[in-house]
Amino acid sequence: EREREREIMSVDETIIAWVGDEEVGEGDPVKVVAKVLDVLRRKTDLFLQENVEKRIWELIKVNRRKARAGGEGVKKGFFGQKKAAAPSGEKEEKEEEAGRSGEIIEEIENPNLQSLDQKLKEKGEEKAKEFEEDGATAAAAGGAGGGEKADSEKPSEPEADEGTGLAPNSGNGYTYDNGHSWVQTLQDVTLTIPVPQGTKARECTVEIKKNHLKVGLKSSSPEYIIDDELHKEIATEDSFWNINDGKELELYLQKVDTMSWWEKVVSSQEAINTRKVEPENSKLSDLDAETRQTVEKMMFDQRQKAMGMPTSEEQQKQDMMKKFMDAHPEMDFSKAKFM
């Protein structure tokens, strides 16, 4: 076991040394990854395998999520914090050098999106102002004589539904007492299970089906650590697992329904309170336009309920009814009840 730990440390030290090497990484971790991929292309059939691009991209997403969560020993660059922008002169020089070598540099900038919290705050303030103005108008119309009656007949504001369940962790999942932990986005779930130090992939038994999950070690008794129904259906062709540092078995599960949050990974786990899930604003740019719009709507409705105000659908119904009433002034709506 100690020999295995020394081997792992040796690999870590070697990779970090490559980053600083003038002929390998030149201080840029991305160049190290590029060189490793180039060696794998020349010496193995990695890039001839099906869905290899998707698997590599999912590994990048998983590690980026860990880096954002503040994992130990995270370095700046690549999965860690972004480096400071290079001076314009240096940037142009690098582009010219890349042009001479035949490389194509494509810069992908985050879309200039307004902060979701700021949007929600502004919408909430607008609705609050409208409610205040409507209340003031109703009070003035009622007059001094009818004020007390109006107050007595004013319906109580509905209480916001806070939901039930465990409070989610920073990754919108949960860490259980047995060491099992999971995090999620709207698109995927990552489940991490601790295993004995030095465990290798060939010593594990993993079966990923669209509605069922089996995870175990061939040397343990009982053999399966997990043998349970999944909370919701997954896309098995886009799901995979790997051993992380010889001490964790990590499973990446691609959701089929990418419009809802999971309460748990498997049915035997205690559920989290999905009403307290807080997706990071910085991840919205990773979503496609349709998914991002759905997330914004969900968060807006949640904020409106907490403030005792109508949701987007309720507001739409109220607007439609108001237009109908304005178009038919001859009708008496004083005794009408609106659901």
Side-chain angles (χ1 to χ4, degrees), residues 4 23 62 85 96 104 117 128 163 190 205 227 234 238 243 255 307 317 330:
R4 175 62 178 168
E23 297 182 358
V62 168
E96 291 178 2
I104 299 176
D117 279 343
T190 302
T205 302
D227 184 1
I234 63 169
D238 295 325
I243 293 295
K255 296 179 180 179
M307 297 172 65
K317 291 179 181 178
E330 73 282 1

Side-chain angles (χ1 to χ4, degrees), residues 14 27 31 56 74 124 187 191 215 281 321:
T14 301
K31 290 187 177 181
I56 292 175
V74 174
Q187 289 78 32
L191 173 63
V215 179
N281 296 335
M321 184 55 64

Side-chain angles (χ1 to χ4, degrees), residues 118-179:
Q118 182 65 23
K119 281 179 166 180
L120 295 176
K121 183 179 179 182
E122 289 176 359
K123 289 182 181 179
E125 289 175 351
E126 288 176 6
K127 297 300 178 183
K129 187 175 181 180
E130 290 177 8
F131 272 74
E132 289 176 1
E133 290 175 353
D134 292 345
T137 303
E148 294 180 1
K149 182 178 179 181
D151 289 340
S152 63
E153 293 179 356
K154 182 179 179 181
S156 59
E157 294 183 353
E159 295 183 1
D161 184 3
E162 294 295 334
T164 58
L166 301 170
N169 58 24
S170 59
N172 296 323
Y174 196 76
T175 301
Y176 296 97
D177 292 338
N178 61 1

Side-chain angles (χ1 to χ4, degrees), residues 65 68-69 166-176 181-191 231 255 260-265 269-284 287 295 298-299 302:
R65 187 184 304 125
R68 284 174 173 171
L166 301 170
N169 58 24
S170 59
N172 296 323
Y174 196 76
T175 301
Y176 296 97
S181 64
W182 62 283
V183 295
Q184 67 173 319
T185 66
L186 280 173
Q187 289 78 32
D188 54 66
V189 173
T190 302
L191 173 63
H231 178 57
K255 296 179 180 179
S260 63
W261 299 104
W262 282 22
E263 298 177 352
K264 48 191 172 182
V265 181
Q269 292 175 334
E270 191 172 355
I272 66 167
N273 185 354
T274 55
R275 290 191 178 274
K276 294 186 177 180
V277 164
E278 297 181 359
E280 296 180 20
N281 296 335
S282 58
K283 291 182 181 178
L284 288 177
L287 306 177
V295 174
M298 290 168 58
M299 295 188 67
Q302 186 175 357

